[in-house]
Amino acid sequence: MNQQGKLYLVPTPIGNLEDITFRAIRILKEVDLILAEDTRTSAPLLKHFEIHQKVFSHHQHNEHQSSNEIIKFLKEGKNIALISDAGTPAISDPGFYLVREALKNEIAVECLPGATAFVPALVNSGFPTDRFCFEGFLPLKKGRQTRYKTLATEERTLILYESPHRVLKTLDEMATYFGADRQISVSRELTKMFEETVRGTVAEVKLYFETHPLKGEFVMCVAGASPKTSKEKDQEAD
């Protein structure tokens, strides 16, 4: 019987191509095939580092369907690398389902360390980093209000991802549920030429972005609620 292959999760740069690791490049050159969230997005990266392996599409819309075929290839002894458009696979990107299925089938999974957007945004925010709560993207509609109410009393630093066309709306909602005076740090275009981090109260940061470009992906770090605030809101809920 053929020895089973291995599934590699390989982080890719979130902007600056120099942020990829030597190990990531080696793995991508050695595997039998690469799974990419969007083959068109990944093509320039692979071309830049002269990586010529076969590339197949693996995204949120076909993840469940294609995973069975991928597991079959892994069982046949093929080594496969999964990459997302930017950053670490499975962090607000496809990957979780495939990893779970691979582990169910006792297939080896190895995740390389590397780029991810929320870590530099958190460290750069100046908020406590010993305990934090990563929420990724909030629900678009159903459950969004409930999530805000839950997070309003969270004492750990909060980390959220947001798309540019929803930033102002999200800041408005934060002012409602967290308070306009809550401290926030918003980073955009991390590692790119126009990287920017804006810090201040929710109200101040919203005012800034009302008159400045809303381009790129945003990482929003919110100071945790004070213990006093958390206690008061808990009493209100009672």
Side-chain angles (χ1 to χ4, degrees):
M1 293 180 64
N2 292 333
Q3 182 179 358
Q4 289 192 148
K6 179 183 285 190
L7 174 64
Y8 293 92
L9 279 71
V10 181
T12 53
I14 59 175
N16 193 320
L17 292 182
E18 293 179 352
D19 291 337
I20 197 168
T21 67
F22 292 125
R23 183 180 168 205
I25 295 172
R26 176 179 62 80
I27 293 295
L28 292 175
K29 289 184 175 182
E30 290 178 352
V31 294
D32 296 292
L33 61 94
I34 297 170
L35 305 173
E37 184 178 359
D38 187 329
T39 56
R40 295 166 299 179
T41 301
S42 300
L45 171 75
L46 300 177
K47 181 179 179 181
H48 180 81
F49 290 107
E50 299 181 349
I51 298 167
H52 306 297
Q53 264 59 8
K54 292 181 179 179
V55 182
F56 293 91
S57 179
H58 182 79
H59 49 75
Q60 63 177 344
H61 301 297
N62 75 350
E63 186 173 19
H64 287 67
Q65 182 180 355
S66 65
S67 290
N68 291 333
E69 193 70 17
I70 296 165
I71 296 298
K72 179 183 174 183
F73 288 150
L74 289 163
K75 285 184 174 181
E76 291 174 352
K78 296 186 184 298
N79 292 317
I80 299 176
L82 173 65
I83 61 176
S84 63
D85 288 346
T88 301
I91 301 296
S92 293
D93 281 316
F96 161 72
Y97 181 79
L98 179 58
V99 169
R100 187 176 64 181
E101 292 304 299
L103 295 175
K104 281 183 181 178
N105 286 272
E106 299 183 343
I107 293 168
V109 177
E110 187 172 332
C111 183
L112 279 62
T116 189
F118 78 80
V119 173
L122 170 63
V123 174
N124 199 32
S125 71
F127 297 145
T129 58
D130 55 335
R131 297 173 67 242
F132 58 89
C133 178
F134 175 70
E135 285 290 317
F137 290 95
L138 292 176
L140 294 181
K141 294 180 180 179
K142 186 177 180 181
R144 190 176 179 91
Q145 184 178 10
T146 302
R147 187 71 60 84
Y148 271 124
K149 289 180 178 178
T150 301
L151 295 177
T153 57
E154 173 59 63
E155 295 179 18
R156 294 171 293 178
T157 301
L158 297 174
I159 307 170
L160 307 172
Y161 284 167
E162 193 52 276
S163 60
H165 66 274
R166 284 197 301 267
V167 166
L168 293 179
K169 176 186 175 182
T170 298
L171 288 169
D172 260 338
E173 293 168 338
M174 286 182 175
T176 298
Y177 292 101
F178 300 162
D181 292 332
R182 181 79 71 93
Q183 290 291 314
I184 188 172
S185 174
V186 177
S187 297
R188 70 177 189 93
E189 296 284 78
L190 285 167
T191 80
K192 299 177 183 177
M193 183 179 295
F194 298 107
E195 175 178 333
E196 178 181 35
T197 295
V198 181
R199 306 174 185 86
T201 65
V202 170
E204 289 169 343
V205 171
K206 180 176 183 292
L207 185 63
Y208 175 86
F209 280 114
E210 285 176 340
T211 56
H212 288 78
L214 289 168
K215 294 182 179 180
E217 293 301 316
F218 284 71
V219 185
M220 312 176 85
C221 296
V222 185
S226 66
K228 180 181 178 182
T229 302
S230 299
K231 185 177 181 181
E232 288 173 349
K233 289 188 177 292
D234 287 340
Q235 290 173 345
E236 289 175 4
D238 293 340

